[in-house]
Amino acid sequence: MLIFISLIAVALAACSPQRTEESFEVLSRLREPVPAGVVEREAITYEVSGRAGQAYLYRPAERSWLAPVVLVPGVAPRGRDDPRLANFAQQMAAARFLVLVPEIENLRRLQVGPADAVAIADAVVEAERRSKSGMPVGLVGISYAVGPTVLAALDARLEGRVSFILSIGGYYSSPAVITFFTTGAYREAEDEEWAWMEPNPKGKWVFVLSNIDEVESPEDRELLRAMSETKLSNVNAEINGLAARLGPEGQSILALLENRDPDRVPELLQALPAGLRNRMNALDLARRDLSGLELPVLLLHGRNDAIIPYTESLALKDALPPGGGDLYLLDNFSHVELEEPSLEDTLTLLSLVYSVLRERDEAAEP
């Protein structure tokens, strides 16, 4: 750890003193609510290629903003109104970003689909439209929204229009994530032994709700919905009666959820309904060529993440062009919730904040 601290100290010494000072200021208030009057928020509507959009636009109230960013909500019922997301948007606006938070109805319904990438790309176009001429836009994706966020950055419309990506608790391989939240198994490479951690028990039921529209049988859809809502309300609730009524599609999904052997996951995935497999594959970044994603990608993840294991950010970094990804691992970061940081965590966060501010300043340059 002393070596790590020394390296950080040397790195900061070679950095911009003004930006380093600002990084300390941003970090010092990161876990506190932004005081009233520092940031202002505006509800906006917009249209891109005939598609209507809604968003919140955050900006510093007393200072000029320097660069635009699109902050994509995670999978949460309150969407852009989630208090944690709103606080993060205010923190970024206080750091002199123009922050556009789009309304993505799918994510409110606890669903993620490839079409969400179109909505995110539209939000980037709108953020650029509201910014200074020709200024690129940063992208921030959270949790399962990281997939469509990266897909949006690959959209041909956005070539040269995205300045950087910040991934928070994101993923790379859909099968790897499913393996983890059903069995608790994860690993840094395919040729390594499995490691184990107790996954969040609600993760697999969010997965069911996210893909329930791909189940053809109306009876199975309703049964799976009832089972998921019951388990999300009380993970210890009894659902055997509902499970016994499932048809073939529902049984294939239940078999995946009840499996505890990570080596069986591939065959169980192949038995899922075709529509579900297709959606899963469309969101699987491991199936995409990311070599053309030539922009800075900052990856933040917690080693104790019980929803998406930190190894997913490791894999995403490895899939990027050489030098394109910077990984920031924290010991006390529970998926998207910052706990009491250790000294090492604090220094890692300081380095990340500095990198984000550097991207802001470079985007703001003529």
Side-chain angles (χ1 to χ4, degrees):
M1 181 174 172
L2 289 176
I3 295 176
F4 175 81
I5 294 174
S6 299
L7 290 173
I8 292 290
V10 170
L12 288 176
C15 294
S16 160
Q18 181 178 346
R19 194 180 299 134
T20 299
E21 181 180 354
E22 185 181 3
S23 299
F24 276 104
E25 293 174 359
V26 170
L27 186 59
S28 68
R29 63 173 185 260
L30 199 58
R31 302 179 68 209
E32 303 294 331
V34 175
V38 174
V39 170
E40 56 189 24
R41 188 186 79 177
E42 175 188 3
I44 64 170
T45 59
Y46 55 92
E47 184 176 303
V48 177
S49 300
R51 293 180 293 271
Q54 298 180 347
Y56 288 141
L57 196 65
Y58 295 81
R59 60 170 65 87
E62 298 179 351
R63 299 188 296 173
S64 60
W65 56 267
L66 297 176
V69 67
V70 169
L71 172 57
V72 183
V75 179
R78 300 185 68 178
R80 60 176 174 159
D81 294 305
D82 188 287
R84 297 167 300 177
L85 183 77
N87 180 63
F88 186 42
Q90 292 177 51
Q91 296 284 357
M92 294 202 74
R96 304 186 69 181
F97 280 98
L98 177 70
V99 186
L100 190 148
V101 184
E103 175 64 51
I104 302 180
E105 191 60 36
N106 243 7
L107 300 181
R108 279 188 185 266
R109 295 197 300 264
L110 306 185
Q111 296 183 339
V112 186
D116 298 331
V118 177
I120 296 168
D122 287 350
V124 171
V125 172
E126 178 62 19
E128 183 188 52
R129 182 186 297 162
R130 290 176 177 266
S131 70
K132 301 165 187 176
S133 177
M135 182 174 289
V137 180
L139 264 174
V140 181
I142 299 174
S143 185
Y144 289 110
V146 166
T149 297
V150 172
L151 295 179
L154 294 172
D155 189 319
R157 291 183 298 156
L158 299 190
E159 185 175 358
R161 301 167 82 170
V162 177
S163 54
F164 72 96
I165 296 174
L166 171 58
S167 164
I168 302 175
Y171 75 93
Y172 174 62
S173 165
S174 297
V177 173
I178 293 170
T179 299
F180 176 71
F181 66 60
T182 56
T183 71
Y186 65 98
R187 55 189 177 187
E188 293 190 8
E190 289 189 7
D191 58 350
E192 293 189 4
E193 296 293 325
W194 292 106
W196 305 86
M197 180 167 59
E198 187 65 31
N200 186 311
K202 294 184 177 182
K204 57 188 178 183
W205 298 108
V206 172
F207 167 77
V208 174
L209 280 182
S210 179
N211 293 282
I212 205 164
D213 293 343
E214 303 298 342
V215 176
E216 292 187 6
S217 165
E219 294 81 7
D220 278 5
R221 277 202 305 270
E222 292 311 308
L223 287 168
L224 289 167
R225 190 184 308 278
M227 292 165 65
S228 300
E229 292 175 349
T230 299
K231 282 293 191 179
L232 289 173
S233 297
N234 177 10
V235 295
N236 297 314
E238 178 62 56
I239 58 170
N240 288 342
L242 295 170
R245 295 160 52 193
L246 288 171
E249 287 183 294
Q251 288 293 343
S252 71
I253 294 173
L254 186 62
L256 173 66
L257 301 186
E258 292 182 340
N259 171 59
R260 295 296 177 267
D261 180 358
D263 293 318
R264 286 197 62 215
V265 172
E267 68 176 87
L268 292 170
L269 291 177
Q270 285 302 311
L272 294 176
L276 196 159
R277 292 200 313 273
N278 291 338
R279 175 183 285 191
M280 181 186 71
N281 292 340
L283 290 167
D284 187 3
L285 297 181
R287 290 174 171 262
R288 301 294 180 124
D289 179 9
L290 304 184
S291 62
L293 201 63
E294 296 185 349
L295 72 164
V297 181
L298 313 175
L299 303 130
L300 175 64
H301 219 122
R303 289 187 176 90
N304 61 341
D305 192 331
I307 294 179
I308 299 176
Y310 73 91
T311 46
E312 286 302 290
S313 284
L314 284 172
L316 180 52
K317 179 182 183 298
D318 289 343
L320 296 170
D326 290 321
L327 181 62
Y328 302 84
L329 287 179
L330 303 180
D331 290 321
N332 300 305
F333 187 61
S334 179
H335 195 48
V336 296
E337 298 281 354
L338 179 60
E339 302 166 6
E340 188 64 38
S342 63
L343 175 58
E344 186 173 351
D345 284 351
T346 299
L347 292 171
T348 300
L349 283 170
L350 181 62
S351 178
L352 172 62
V353 171
Y354 184 94
S355 295
V356 172
L357 296 182
R358 181 189 62 223
E359 298 305 328
R360 177 203 66 185
D361 294 343
E362 292 184 357
E365 292 177 358

